[in-house]
Amino acid sequence: MYRDTPHPIHRRDYRPPEFLIDHVELRFDLDPDRTRVEASLEVRRNPAATRGDGTLRLHGEQLDLEEVAIDGHRLAPAEYRVEPDSLTLQRVPDRFRLDTRVRIHPNLNTALEGLYQSGDMLCTQCEAEGFRRITYFLDRPDVMARYRTTLIADKGRFPVLLSNGNRVEERELVDGRHLVSWEDPFPKPSYLFALIAGDLSAIEDRFTTASGRDVVLQIFVEPHNLDRCDHAMQSLKKAMRWDEERFGREYDLDVYMIVAVSHFNMGAMENKGLNVFNDKFVLARADTATDEDFQGIEGVIAHEYFHNWSGNRITCRDWFQLSLKEGFTVYRDQEFSADVGSRGVKRVADVRLLQAHQFPEDSSPMAHPVRPDSYFEINNFYTATVYNKGAELVRMQATLLGPELFRKATDLYFTRHDGQAVTTDDFVRCMEDVSGRDLMQFRRWYSQAGTPHLHIEAAYDAERATYSLLIRQAIAPTPGEPDKDPLHLPLAIALLDPQGRELALRLEGEPNAGEPGTRILELRDWETRLCFVDVPVRPVPSLLRGFSAPVQPRFDYGDDDLLLLLRHDSDGYSRWNAARILMQRVLSTMIADPEAEVPGRFVEAFRGALTDPETDKALLAEVLTLPSESFLGDQMETVDVDGIHRARNTLREILGERLVEELLSVYRDNADVERYAPTPDAIGRRALKNLALGYLMAAGDARALTLCRAQFAGAGNMTDAIAALRLLVDHGGEDGTSALEAFHRRWSKEPLVIDKWFSVQATSSRAGTLGIVTGLLQHPDFSLRNPNRVRSLVGAFCTANPARFHARDGGGYRFLADRVLELDPLNPQIAARLLKALIRWRRYDAGRQALMRTEIERILAAEELSSDTFEVASKALEDTEHPAR
Ligand code: B3K
Ligand code: ZN
């Protein structure tokens, strides 16, 4: 058990800092074993805070303190107090200079927070609370300071020395060392500090901002990776232009640097002027990276760039406000990708992600509001709720205000709060101030957890030509929130006639009908009744168009209605959703009755969609993908792990058999040999082609196996290669084994490709997968110290292979718990994240519940446990009055 039980931090306890730090001067003598950090802080009392007794408590962890001085006077040890997480000074003056000198040990830092070693480089990660592992500081986002940073290191080993801002000095020192100084003119919170030391090369480009300023753009990588940075650079330039055009935001420094590192806990980090990236989100070449990788890079490069305004110049007052920057920035990157790619497809992908990660989280023991009220460990709150539901809240505000007012509101936000650390409430106030609307009720979205259900009933009165809707909201209790309040939300709706044409809509009491198309209704109450008049025929409602609110709609559609929506709806989300409801209906019947027939009309509808020449191919690929096993499980009272797996495989097989000719021609029509390009059109064609191949392989068609072997052997890009490899491995036998061997041989020097090699094996549905995954832990390429590797093997098995992870004998659960216990002392963030795979144990049958519970208890019983893992494990077992499932 954790020795001193960690205590929660509460939002209500927020107080402005008693002291501020205006300027920071840092001097690093860099060495992987032993780095010396000298800090000189200009400290003063905060006039806006209540005056205390002059005690200054600085955060600091794992620092060997050597010296403390106030205004140049060295303090005796009796004049300060050092604790494991702090340095306390009593009765300090109202304004003074504080000098400290500490030693830190980057090569022992396996948690990858603070200053650490990644391969031959030194790098930093300070968000959320990593800066306190570098030096003593007020490590909270509402303390914003200007930084000057001097880096000293051996020039042979670390020829490149980078930090935030502009380079202001550079010189050689004795003994082969050199010194570089950086100055960042913009005040920033400590979590945005960064430094890099390494033997790196850069590709360089330039960007001229809207007002004519010239900016140097650099991407630093290890020299052998220089040939795979172009896509990242192009993405950066697109993002910079887009932010000027769409949000009026210009870049503000003379240089923008991106560095790719191979050991990184998250995707990337938006440090001011010096983004540090997981190399997975920088490096791409057609033969090494998939379409998904290319799109991921474009999105993440944009996301981190957009943070320069939504996050850096305007930051969070405290970590409860994390969604202020993350929700808004995700919204911005989603809109960017929609604009440069295909809007409908992007929306479907975002909704799929939200439903796959955020909805389950919202009904789990870790459910929390977008603005949480408490946490043990903030690193556990970089969640789908804060990021993706947070983005939906911004999107709803944009919908409620409309594009012009929303732009005015963001302009106001950026000017009003530039240079400040603010709250989500401040953001909403800008929306209110420009629109004159009252968003008091809307704010509940930030404070209330749980996914609302919308139960919608409709009645058509042919005689009166009216169509009335009854819409009821329901929100299940979540931990600590037994009672919920109704939410204010935009419901986008259209009514289609039997030919699939949109009707002009007029609500009762309105003078005239509007143009045919989408109508935004605003819901505020538990129950809303609406009546459309002059409705000539019984319409089919196209509900929640564009997924206008993060809710679960329930409407009792007839199969014919769904077929109509699937065929005719102009809204991509609605078409995709109609297909999914149809598939889900067929699958639930098959789960309940293994002998059930697949209805012929369903197969025909599938055939119709597959051969529809009109539709965007990427959207078609989304529409024709069966709902995932996890999604199907989420829709059930108790997850039927084996039934779902069996039914889904059977349906794939049947569709593959019945549609073999159509699938073969879709495959052929989209199997181009032209040069690889990650354009939306080409990506869509590859997605559709590989989807077709998947169905064909499921049916065990001999021609499919030939095509699959040929595709694997001859693929000119990683998307096709990995798609074929995955299918061959699932097919098994000699084909799978030899493909895996060939793939490893070819890519053994490419860590990011080897990650894929591990993932393919971890997610295979073959029966012996757990044994294979366990064996792979001993593979010379595997390491628990590299988060990408851990995610590619352990993470992939536990989150993307439900049939094997949830094996009835509990082997998967034991495997996970063993890894969590091994990882926790090394890297608590990654350990805690893995453990989340067990958090919804109450959703399973009694046998599995008991097995999962046993493993969580075993983790909680460990001698020492990080606060990260402790929080997840203890919340998983918490018995609340309304245990969320
Ligand atoms: N802001 C970082 C996340 C930092 C995670 C700290 N545990 C990446 C991003 O959202 O842009
Ligand atoms: Zn972010």
Side-chain angles (χ1 to χ4, degrees), residues 769-797:
T769 295
L770 176 58
I772 290 173
V773 170
T774 309
L776 284 171
L777 294 171
Q778 308 305 323
H779 193 280
D781 291 342
F782 185 76
S783 161
L784 275 182
R785 287 169 195 251
N786 185 316
N788 284 355
R789 213 27 74 82
V790 173
R791 282 184 282 254
S792 72
L793 185 64
V794 186
F797 176 72

mmCIF file of all heavy atoms in Angstrom, residues 769-797:
data_model
loop_
_atom_site.group_PDB
_atom_site.id
_atom_site.type_symbol
_atom_site.label_atom_id
_atom_site.label_comp_id
_atom_site.label_asym_id
_atom_site.label_seq_id
_atom_site.Cartn_x
_atom_site.Cartn_y
_atom_site.Cartn_z
ATOM 1 N N THR A 769 -2.800 -15.374 -29.050
ATOM 2 C CA THR A 769 -2.159 -14.052 -29.023
ATOM 3 C C THR A 769 -1.516 -13.700 -27.680
ATOM 4 O O THR A 769 -0.411 -13.152 -27.646
ATOM 5 C CB THR A 769 -3.166 -12.978 -29.475
ATOM 6 O OG1 THR A 769 -3.497 -13.231 -30.844
ATOM 7 C CG2 THR A 769 -2.586 -11.584 -29.374
ATOM 8 N N LEU A 770 -2.187 -14.011 -26.574
ATOM 9 C CA LEU A 770 -1.582 -13.644 -25.285
ATOM 10 C C LEU A 770 -0.206 -14.295 -25.111
ATOM 11 O O LEU A 770 0.742 -13.650 -24.653
ATOM 12 C CB LEU A 770 -2.500 -14.004 -24.102
ATOM 13 C CG LEU A 770 -1.888 -13.748 -22.725
ATOM 14 C CD1 LEU A 770 -1.487 -12.275 -22.541
ATOM 15 C CD2 LEU A 770 -2.843 -14.157 -21.605
ATOM 16 N N GLY A 771 -0.092 -15.562 -25.509
ATOM 17 C CA GLY A 771 1.194 -16.238 -25.405
ATOM 18 C C GLY A 771 2.248 -15.539 -26.253
ATOM 19 O O GLY A 771 3.387 -15.345 -25.825
ATOM 20 N N ILE A 772 1.843 -15.131 -27.447
ATOM 21 C CA ILE A 772 2.785 -14.456 -28.337
ATOM 22 C C ILE A 772 3.208 -13.112 -27.749
ATOM 23 O O ILE A 772 4.389 -12.756 -27.717
ATOM 24 C CB ILE A 772 2.141 -14.285 -29.728
ATOM 25 C CG1 ILE A 772 2.039 -15.674 -30.378
ATOM 26 C CG2 ILE A 772 2.940 -13.318 -30.604
ATOM 27 C CD1 ILE A 772 1.280 -15.716 -31.674
ATOM 28 N N VAL A 773 2.227 -12.380 -27.238
ATOM 29 C CA VAL A 773 2.534 -11.068 -26.656
ATOM 30 C C VAL A 773 3.461 -11.232 -25.453
ATOM 31 O O VAL A 773 4.431 -10.485 -25.286
ATOM 32 C CB VAL A 773 1.219 -10.345 -26.273
ATOM 33 C CG1 VAL A 773 1.503 -9.097 -25.460
ATOM 34 C CG2 VAL A 773 0.431 -9.984 -27.530
ATOM 35 N N THR A 774 3.183 -12.217 -24.622
ATOM 36 C CA THR A 774 4.042 -12.446 -23.455
ATOM 37 C C THR A 774 5.462 -12.784 -23.910
ATOM 38 O O THR A 774 6.438 -12.281 -23.359
ATOM 39 C CB THR A 774 3.467 -13.591 -22.588
ATOM 40 O OG1 THR A 774 2.091 -13.306 -22.332
ATOM 41 C CG2 THR A 774 4.200 -13.712 -21.274
ATOM 42 N N GLY A 775 5.563 -13.613 -24.950
ATOM 43 C CA GLY A 775 6.877 -13.949 -25.492
ATOM 44 C C GLY A 775 7.596 -12.709 -26.017
ATOM 45 O O GLY A 775 8.812 -12.555 -25.832
ATOM 46 N N LEU A 776 6.848 -11.812 -26.630
ATOM 47 C CA LEU A 776 7.469 -10.620 -27.230
ATOM 48 C C LEU A 776 8.061 -9.675 -26.182
ATOM 49 O O LEU A 776 8.916 -8.848 -26.499
ATOM 50 C CB LEU A 776 6.454 -9.875 -28.102
ATOM 51 C CG LEU A 776 6.158 -10.524 -29.464
ATOM 52 C CD1 LEU A 776 4.990 -9.834 -30.150
ATOM 53 C CD2 LEU A 776 7.405 -10.486 -30.364
ATOM 54 N N LEU A 777 7.618 -9.803 -24.936
ATOM 55 C CA LEU A 777 8.226 -8.977 -23.876
ATOM 56 C C LEU A 777 9.719 -9.247 -23.787
ATOM 57 O O LEU A 777 10.490 -8.399 -23.354
ATOM 58 C CB LEU A 777 7.587 -9.281 -22.518
ATOM 59 C CG LEU A 777 6.114 -8.919 -22.319
ATOM 60 C CD1 LEU A 777 5.614 -9.485 -21.000
ATOM 61 C CD2 LEU A 777 5.935 -7.404 -22.352
ATOM 62 N N GLN A 778 10.115 -10.468 -24.172
ATOM 63 C CA GLN A 778 11.534 -10.845 -24.097
ATOM 64 C C GLN A 778 12.283 -10.537 -25.398
ATOM 65 O O GLN A 778 13.483 -10.761 -25.485
ATOM 66 C CB GLN A 778 11.695 -12.358 -23.827
ATOM 67 C CG GLN A 778 10.904 -12.871 -22.637
ATOM 68 C CD GLN A 778 11.219 -12.104 -21.378
ATOM 69 O OE1 GLN A 778 12.369 -11.707 -21.159
ATOM 70 N NE2 GLN A 778 10.193 -11.848 -20.557
ATOM 71 N N HIS A 779 11.575 -10.070 -26.394
ATOM 72 C CA HIS A 779 12.237 -9.782 -27.673
ATOM 73 C C HIS A 779 13.288 -8.693 -27.469
ATOM 74 O O HIS A 779 13.058 -7.734 -26.731
ATOM 75 C CB HIS A 779 11.187 -9.322 -28.688
ATOM 76 C CG HIS A 779 11.696 -9.300 -30.093
ATOM 77 N ND1 HIS A 779 12.471 -8.270 -30.581
ATOM 78 C CD2 HIS A 779 11.566 -10.177 -31.114
ATOM 79 C CE1 HIS A 779 12.786 -8.521 -31.835
ATOM 80 N NE2 HIS A 779 12.241 -9.672 -32.188
ATOM 81 N N PRO A 780 14.462 -8.845 -28.102
ATOM 82 C CA PRO A 780 15.521 -7.840 -27.904
ATOM 83 C C PRO A 780 15.069 -6.413 -28.266
ATOM 84 O O PRO A 780 15.605 -5.440 -27.729
ATOM 85 C CB PRO A 780 16.651 -8.296 -28.830
ATOM 86 C CG PRO A 780 16.162 -9.512 -29.552
ATOM 87 C CD PRO A 780 14.917 -9.991 -28.899
ATOM 88 N N ASP A 781 14.074 -6.284 -29.134
ATOM 89 C CA ASP A 781 13.606 -4.940 -29.492
ATOM 90 C C ASP A 781 12.616 -4.366 -28.490
ATOM 91 O O ASP A 781 12.233 -3.213 -28.587
ATOM 92 C CB ASP A 781 12.906 -4.965 -30.865
ATOM 93 C CG ASP A 781 13.876 -5.217 -31.998
ATOM 94 O OD1 ASP A 781 15.095 -5.025 -31.781
ATOM 95 O OD2 ASP A 781 13.426 -5.623 -33.084
ATOM 96 N N PHE A 782 12.165 -5.172 -27.543
ATOM 97 C CA PHE A 782 11.170 -4.643 -26.617
ATOM 98 C C PHE A 782 11.848 -3.959 -25.439
ATOM 99 O O PHE A 782 12.909 -4.365 -24.979
ATOM 100 C CB PHE A 782 10.231 -5.737 -26.097
ATOM 101 C CG PHE A 782 9.144 -5.147 -25.238
ATOM 102 C CD1 PHE A 782 8.083 -4.479 -25.833
ATOM 103 C CD2 PHE A 782 9.234 -5.172 -23.851
ATOM 104 C CE1 PHE A 782 7.109 -3.865 -25.051
ATOM 105 C CE2 PHE A 782 8.257 -4.555 -23.071
ATOM 106 C CZ PHE A 782 7.204 -3.906 -23.674
ATOM 107 N N SER A 783 11.237 -2.872 -24.950
ATOM 108 C CA SER A 783 11.744 -2.217 -23.754
ATOM 109 C C SER A 783 10.595 -1.531 -23.039
ATOM 110 O O SER A 783 9.775 -0.858 -23.650
ATOM 111 C CB SER A 783 12.787 -1.166 -24.137
ATOM 112 O OG SER A 783 12.952 -0.264 -23.073
ATOM 113 N N LEU A 784 10.563 -1.725 -21.717
ATOM 114 C CA LEU A 784 9.528 -1.048 -20.926
ATOM 115 C C LEU A 784 9.837 0.431 -20.782
ATOM 116 O O LEU A 784 9.019 1.191 -20.302
ATOM 117 C CB LEU A 784 9.463 -1.660 -19.531
ATOM 118 C CG LEU A 784 8.616 -2.914 -19.313
ATOM 119 C CD1 LEU A 784 8.670 -3.308 -17.848
ATOM 120 C CD2 LEU A 784 7.155 -2.691 -19.734
ATOM 121 N N ARG A 785 11.058 0.823 -21.162
ATOM 122 C CA ARG A 785 11.447 2.225 -20.946
ATOM 123 C C ARG A 785 11.051 3.137 -22.081
ATOM 124 O O ARG A 785 11.214 4.347 -21.991
ATOM 125 C CB ARG A 785 12.949 2.330 -20.717
ATOM 126 C CG ARG A 785 13.253 1.790 -19.352
ATOM 127 C CD ARG A 785 14.724 1.607 -19.115
ATOM 128 N NE ARG A 785 14.862 0.775 -17.936
ATOM 129 C CZ ARG A 785 15.304 1.221 -16.760
ATOM 130 N NH1 ARG A 785 15.673 2.464 -16.618
ATOM 131 N NH2 ARG A 785 15.377 0.413 -15.735
ATOM 132 N N ASN A 786 10.567 2.552 -23.159
ATOM 133 C CA ASN A 786 10.131 3.411 -24.255
ATOM 134 C C ASN A 786 8.600 3.370 -24.370
ATOM 135 O O ASN A 786 8.018 2.356 -24.715
ATOM 136 C CB ASN A 786 10.777 2.957 -25.567
ATOM 137 C CG ASN A 786 10.422 3.918 -26.695
ATOM 138 O OD1 ASN A 786 9.269 4.331 -26.840
ATOM 139 N ND2 ASN A 786 11.412 4.306 -27.465
ATOM 140 N N PRO A 787 7.943 4.506 -24.068
ATOM 141 C CA PRO A 787 6.474 4.501 -24.059
ATOM 142 C C PRO A 787 5.847 4.064 -25.384
ATOM 143 O O PRO A 787 4.841 3.359 -25.372
ATOM 144 C CB PRO A 787 6.108 5.960 -23.746
ATOM 145 C CG PRO A 787 7.288 6.489 -22.996
ATOM 146 C CD PRO A 787 8.491 5.787 -23.575
ATOM 147 N N ASN A 788 6.426 4.440 -26.513
ATOM 148 C CA ASN A 788 5.840 4.006 -27.789
ATOM 149 C C ASN A 788 5.848 2.485 -27.883
ATOM 150 O O ASN A 788 4.902 1.870 -28.374
ATOM 151 C CB ASN A 788 6.619 4.574 -28.979
ATOM 152 C CG ASN A 788 6.311 6.053 -29.216
ATOM 153 O OD1 ASN A 788 5.451 6.621 -28.548
ATOM 154 N ND2 ASN A 788 7.013 6.658 -30.156
ATOM 155 N N ARG A 789 6.923 1.882 -27.408
ATOM 156 C CA ARG A 789 7.033 0.432 -27.469
ATOM 157 C C ARG A 789 6.016 -0.219 -26.530
ATOM 158 O O ARG A 789 5.351 -1.180 -26.872
ATOM 159 C CB ARG A 789 8.462 0.062 -27.064
ATOM 160 C CG ARG A 789 9.184 -1.113 -27.652
ATOM 161 C CD ARG A 789 8.836 -1.597 -28.983
ATOM 162 N NE ARG A 789 9.230 -0.858 -30.158
ATOM 163 C CZ ARG A 789 10.410 -0.892 -30.752
ATOM 164 N NH1 ARG A 789 11.383 -1.627 -30.281
ATOM 165 N NH2 ARG A 789 10.636 -0.192 -31.844
ATOM 166 N N VAL A 790 5.886 0.335 -25.348
ATOM 167 C CA VAL A 790 4.919 -0.207 -24.391
ATOM 168 C C VAL A 790 3.506 -0.109 -24.965
ATOM 169 O O VAL A 790 2.726 -1.052 -24.928
ATOM 170 C CB VAL A 790 5.004 0.543 -23.041
ATOM 171 C CG1 VAL A 790 3.887 0.101 -22.103
ATOM 172 C CG2 VAL A 790 6.364 0.313 -22.403
ATOM 173 N N ARG A 791 3.200 1.057 -25.530
ATOM 174 C CA ARG A 791 1.862 1.226 -26.120
ATOM 175 C C ARG A 791 1.651 0.253 -27.280
ATOM 176 O O ARG A 791 0.563 -0.267 -27.468
ATOM 177 C CB ARG A 791 1.678 2.668 -26.610
ATOM 178 C CG ARG A 791 1.372 3.664 -25.482
ATOM 179 C CD ARG A 791 1.093 5.059 -26.048
ATOM 180 N NE ARG A 791 2.322 5.738 -26.423
ATOM 181 C CZ ARG A 791 2.864 6.742 -25.725
ATOM 182 N NH1 ARG A 791 2.274 7.194 -24.630
ATOM 183 N NH2 ARG A 791 3.972 7.303 -26.125
ATOM 184 N N SER A 792 2.724 0.033 -28.071
ATOM 185 C CA SER A 792 2.524 -0.769 -29.274
ATOM 186 C C SER A 792 2.313 -2.246 -28.941
ATOM 187 O O SER A 792 1.648 -2.952 -29.676
ATOM 188 C CB SER A 792 3.695 -0.601 -30.248
ATOM 189 O OG SER A 792 4.839 -1.253 -29.753
ATOM 190 N N LEU A 793 2.821 -2.687 -27.832
ATOM 191 C CA LEU A 793 2.622 -4.105 -27.480
ATOM 192 C C LEU A 793 1.574 -4.244 -26.363
ATOM 193 O O LEU A 793 0.490 -4.777 -26.574
ATOM 194 C CB LEU A 793 3.954 -4.737 -27.051
ATOM 195 C CG LEU A 793 3.880 -6.243 -26.781
ATOM 196 C CD1 LEU A 793 3.540 -7.025 -28.037
ATOM 197 C CD2 LEU A 793 5.203 -6.767 -26.193
ATOM 198 N N VAL A 794 1.886 -3.731 -25.201
ATOM 199 C CA VAL A 794 0.998 -3.927 -24.050
ATOM 200 C C VAL A 794 -0.299 -3.130 -24.228
ATOM 201 O O VAL A 794 -1.402 -3.654 -24.065
ATOM 202 C CB VAL A 794 1.713 -3.515 -22.738
ATOM 203 C CG1 VAL A 794 0.846 -3.852 -21.545
ATOM 204 C CG2 VAL A 794 3.078 -4.182 -22.640
ATOM 205 N N GLY A 795 -0.170 -1.845 -24.572
ATOM 206 C CA GLY A 795 -1.350 -0.991 -24.750
ATOM 207 C C GLY A 795 -2.258 -1.525 -25.841
ATOM 208 O O GLY A 795 -3.470 -1.614 -25.669
ATOM 209 N N ALA A 796 -1.678 -1.907 -26.963
ATOM 210 C CA ALA A 796 -2.488 -2.391 -28.083
ATOM 211 C C ALA A 796 -3.233 -3.654 -27.681
ATOM 212 O O ALA A 796 -4.426 -3.804 -27.954
ATOM 213 C CB ALA A 796 -1.606 -2.650 -29.301
ATOM 214 N N PHE A 797 -2.552 -4.572 -27.004
ATOM 215 C CA PHE A 797 -3.219 -5.813 -26.604
ATOM 216 C C PHE A 797 -4.386 -5.523 -25.651
ATOM 217 O O PHE A 797 -5.476 -6.073 -25.798
ATOM 218 C CB PHE A 797 -2.220 -6.763 -25.931
ATOM 219 C CG PHE A 797 -2.860 -8.015 -25.418
ATOM 220 C CD1 PHE A 797 -3.300 -9.001 -26.296
ATOM 221 C CD2 PHE A 797 -3.062 -8.205 -24.054
ATOM 222 C CE1 PHE A 797 -3.924 -10.151 -25.828
ATOM 223 C CE2 PHE A 797 -3.689 -9.360 -23.574
ATOM 224 C CZ PHE A 797 -4.119 -10.326 -24.463
#
